Amino acid sequence: MTNATYKLEKSGRTFLERLFEPPAIGKMSPVANVTAYAILLFWSAFVLFPIYWVVITAFKDAQTVNEGPYFIPFVDFEPTLAAWRTQFLSDPFCDFYAIGRQIVLLAYNSAAFIVSPVVSLAPMEPQICKVYLAYTNSLVISIVSTALCIVIGSMAAYALARIQYKPKFGNIVMFVILTLVSIVASTYAGVHWLASASVALALFFLLARAFGKHFKGQLGNGDILFWIISQRILPPVVVVIPVYMMFQAVGMIDTHFALILVYAVANLPIVVWLMHDFFAGLPIELEESAQLDGATRFGIFWEIVLPLTRPGLAAVTLLTLILNWNEYIFAVFLSTSKAQTMPIMVAAKNAGERGILWWEMCAIIVVMIIPVIIMAIILQRFIARGVLLGAVKG
Amino acid sequence: MVSKSAGVPVVFDKIEKSFGVVRVLEELSLNVEPGEFLVLLGASGSGKTTALRIMAGLETATSGRILIGDRDVTEVLPKYRDVSMVFQSYALYPHKTVAENIGFPLKVRKVPEAEQKAAILESASQVQIEGLLDRYPRQLSGGQRQRVALARAMIRRPSVFLMDEPLSNLDAKLRGHMRAELKHMQSALGITTIYVTHDQIEAMTLAHRVAILEKGVLQQLDTPAKIYNDPANLFVAQFIGSPPMNVIRGSLAGNSFQTDNAVVTVNPTGQIKEAILGVRPEDCSVVAAGKGSIAGSIYTTELIGDHTLVTVQTAKDKLTVKAPKDFVGKDGDAIGVEMHRDHLYVFDAISGERLR
């Protein structure tokens, strides 16, 4: 054994070593600090500049846009309200009562839709300017479809997180074959679709009962979950033509209902997939305890599970809302005038004979950003951590 | 003060449980007397928690019946069984206050608000947390959370209490304190209680009767004293007692037990090639070298406080002997161990069965 000692001397550090040495675990070295803030500053500028650009462009006119890049209002250029005036005031219906009229229209048309099986009421034609119409359309469509998504999606996700499903592969194949047969029968053989569908359904129950227990191949919750998310893997462009044909066949092109339905279906997989993880991460003892305490399954979901997954729920709601708010491809196919949404309005400013109307486009975008910011502020209160603290030992 | 309940009997009738090919419980049959405090004791993986969860209805048995009172509840949903459970993790609802936590069972039963309030206060005062009713679980210490869980279990006065290692998350001092309170509360309420633990001290101190489980098989069901003094087999003998019972390998011929360097006379008789002699540390004593039943040398000594534990190395085994606290001996000193034949247990080394 040698007598050598192996010590690290604090005083022996070089200047460079001192620059790179963090003062404590959990703190950063001086160099790392400077680098981190430099990157953050650069990135903030990178992200915020387009928003700044949109806001100032909304207060320009054709001349100031085309003459060259001006960035500082009152110094480079004189801000005007020209874009806002043409957008919101030039239309004869764009007056103080536009919003009220739109609410009356919406209420009347929804009532007409509800009573349509009994009494046929002619839907009221919109009589307000396009921007207000698109704005209210966007609000109604994205809020209702998000609510649908969250309600259905979170319940589906909870079921998948807690109940073990074991569908037999053979049964699924059988169901698909029978569905195809009934479609073929009603399309080519002239059988009434109600008859072919009920026969197929009855046959399916009969066969599943007779042969179901002999099928070996079994699927689990993981397969179901993957099947659900797989519907979001393909881009919406792939399905937009068939979806258009479907809604055309039932005469529902350019209705709120069509867009709400399509948006809800399109985003349901995301909600299920994300919420599943939140539900699966809850300690199951809480639900078992509530069960022993006498709560019903829905009671457990409502009183115990949902409050504890509130951060996740808020985040997923915000995400779905933004996806629906910004959706373009379905809207462009499924709406022509009455159900037009804001993204269509923005894109329309790109297609005039006068070239791209940047200032008008930016005015619409500014208006479009506002509700998203409000929702983000409301929901971020809930996206806080530490809800589960104290649930189990800790 | 809550009136003492008459208590209901609980019966496990040939309960079997398997997860796939793994058998967790094998024909578990238990009769729990009305108002009894029964402890299910076993190492982890012995099936004790599974038995409790089957009782609660959180798991279904593969076969067998569960009876509460004269009611067959095997197929009954947990909430209709009238049992309440205290979980190891307490399972308090973190977004509800203490009062809301305790009152939850009454809330789902739609008990009138005023009645709920009175019941919450009564339940809370029974576990001395009436001052904490407005707090949230995260603001409580481990012991306080434990009390909230107990109060929530008590508030609806169930037929049966189920407790799944309720004290294991507490520190040692608090555990001793809560143990005494739990025992007092159970005898005051008179509610049949099934308590799962791996801690033999808890089992011995709390239980009217202890059921020892190992690998899903019931080893012995008896009072703590009988379990300690009259173990049914080698597993029970070694599981209960701290430090555990000494075992000496050897063979039995007639009533003399032969090991490498000693012959010990025992009470049971038989002819067994591979036998085990068991003796508890307090039932033997150290004597001078050359005397006593078995000779050996001191391996180490540990002063515990009121006594000294002497580990003696014999030919093949190490024996722990409880000696007076003033015992003095150097490691390696030759020494003898004296045992009394009335305090010796003989087991079949292969089957583990006790010879009587």
Side-chain angles (χ1 to χ4, degrees), chain B residues 32 132 174 204 235 272 325:
Chain B
V32 189
L132 307 172
L174 197 56
M204 301 300 268
F235 176 80
I272 300 174
K325 62 181 173 189

PDB file of all heavy atoms in Angstrom, chain B residues 32 132 174 204 235 272 325:
ATOM      1  N   VAL B  32     -64.462 -16.881  11.537  1.00  0.00           N
ATOM      2  CA  VAL B  32     -64.166 -15.754  12.409  1.00  0.00           C
ATOM      3  C   VAL B  32     -65.371 -15.550  13.319  1.00  0.00           C
ATOM      4  O   VAL B  32     -66.500 -15.423  12.851  1.00  0.00           O
ATOM      5  CB  VAL B  32     -63.882 -14.482  11.595  1.00  0.00           C
ATOM      6  CG1 VAL B  32     -63.371 -13.381  12.495  1.00  0.00           C
ATOM      7  CG2 VAL B  32     -62.873 -14.775  10.500  1.00  0.00           C
ATOM      8  N   LEU B 132     -58.926  18.794  12.948  1.00  0.00           N
ATOM      9  CA  LEU B 132     -58.292  18.803  11.625  1.00  0.00           C
ATOM     10  C   LEU B 132     -59.301  18.729  10.494  1.00  0.00           C
ATOM     11  O   LEU B 132     -58.934  18.547   9.344  1.00  0.00           O
ATOM     12  CB  LEU B 132     -57.343  17.597  11.502  1.00  0.00           C
ATOM     13  CG  LEU B 132     -56.300  17.434  12.589  1.00  0.00           C
ATOM     14  CD1 LEU B 132     -55.583  16.117  12.428  1.00  0.00           C
ATOM     15  CD2 LEU B 132     -55.305  18.570  12.523  1.00  0.00           C
ATOM     16  N   LEU B 174     -44.839   5.606  16.701  1.00  0.00           N
ATOM     17  CA  LEU B 174     -46.247   5.860  16.433  1.00  0.00           C
ATOM     18  C   LEU B 174     -46.996   4.543  16.237  1.00  0.00           C
ATOM     19  O   LEU B 174     -48.155   4.400  16.624  1.00  0.00           O
ATOM     20  CB  LEU B 174     -46.360   6.726  15.179  1.00  0.00           C
ATOM     21  CG  LEU B 174     -47.681   7.440  14.951  1.00  0.00           C
ATOM     22  CD1 LEU B 174     -48.018   8.294  16.143  1.00  0.00           C
ATOM     23  CD2 LEU B 174     -47.593   8.289  13.708  1.00  0.00           C
ATOM     24  N   MET B 204     -49.280 -10.680  17.362  1.00  0.00           N
ATOM     25  CA  MET B 204     -49.351 -11.229  18.711  1.00  0.00           C
ATOM     26  C   MET B 204     -50.071 -10.268  19.651  1.00  0.00           C
ATOM     27  O   MET B 204     -50.824 -10.693  20.525  1.00  0.00           O
ATOM     28  CB  MET B 204     -47.939 -11.490  19.258  1.00  0.00           C
ATOM     29  CG  MET B 204     -47.120 -12.449  18.440  1.00  0.00           C
ATOM     30  SD  MET B 204     -47.852 -14.064  18.283  1.00  0.00           S
ATOM     31  CE  MET B 204     -47.115 -14.913  19.648  1.00  0.00           C
ATOM     32  N   PHE B 235     -42.618 -24.272  10.125  1.00  0.00           N
ATOM     33  CA  PHE B 235     -42.763 -22.925   9.585  1.00  0.00           C
ATOM     34  C   PHE B 235     -43.260 -21.959  10.652  1.00  0.00           C
ATOM     35  O   PHE B 235     -42.689 -20.889  10.864  1.00  0.00           O
ATOM     36  CB  PHE B 235     -43.716 -22.911   8.381  1.00  0.00           C
ATOM     37  CG  PHE B 235     -43.946 -21.524   7.875  1.00  0.00           C
ATOM     38  CD1 PHE B 235     -43.007 -20.919   7.066  1.00  0.00           C
ATOM     39  CD2 PHE B 235     -45.064 -20.795   8.263  1.00  0.00           C
ATOM     40  CE1 PHE B 235     -43.184 -19.622   6.625  1.00  0.00           C
ATOM     41  CE2 PHE B 235     -45.241 -19.501   7.829  1.00  0.00           C
ATOM     42  CZ  PHE B 235     -44.303 -18.918   7.009  1.00  0.00           C
ATOM     43  N   ILE B 272     -36.829 -41.175  13.001  1.00  0.00           N
ATOM     44  CA  ILE B 272     -36.748 -40.294  11.844  1.00  0.00           C
ATOM     45  C   ILE B 272     -35.287 -40.035  11.525  1.00  0.00           C
ATOM     46  O   ILE B 272     -34.501 -39.682  12.402  1.00  0.00           O
ATOM     47  CB  ILE B 272     -37.471 -38.960  12.116  1.00  0.00           C
ATOM     48  CG1 ILE B 272     -38.942 -39.207  12.438  1.00  0.00           C
ATOM     49  CG2 ILE B 272     -37.367 -38.036  10.922  1.00  0.00           C
ATOM     50  CD1 ILE B 272     -39.682 -37.983  12.853  1.00  0.00           C
ATOM     51  N   LYS B 325     -28.126 -10.203  31.661  1.00  0.00           N
ATOM     52  CA  LYS B 325     -27.470  -9.036  31.052  1.00  0.00           C
ATOM     53  C   LYS B 325     -26.030  -8.875  31.516  1.00  0.00           C
ATOM     54  O   LYS B 325     -25.245  -8.201  30.857  1.00  0.00           O
ATOM     55  CB  LYS B 325     -28.280  -7.778  31.350  1.00  0.00           C
ATOM     56  CG  LYS B 325     -28.413  -7.434  32.824  1.00  0.00           C
ATOM     57  CD  LYS B 325     -29.248  -6.197  32.992  1.00  0.00           C
ATOM     58  CE  LYS B 325     -29.537  -5.954  34.476  1.00  0.00           C
ATOM     59  NZ  LYS B 325     -30.492  -4.898  34.684  1.00  0.00           N
TER      60      LYS B 325
END
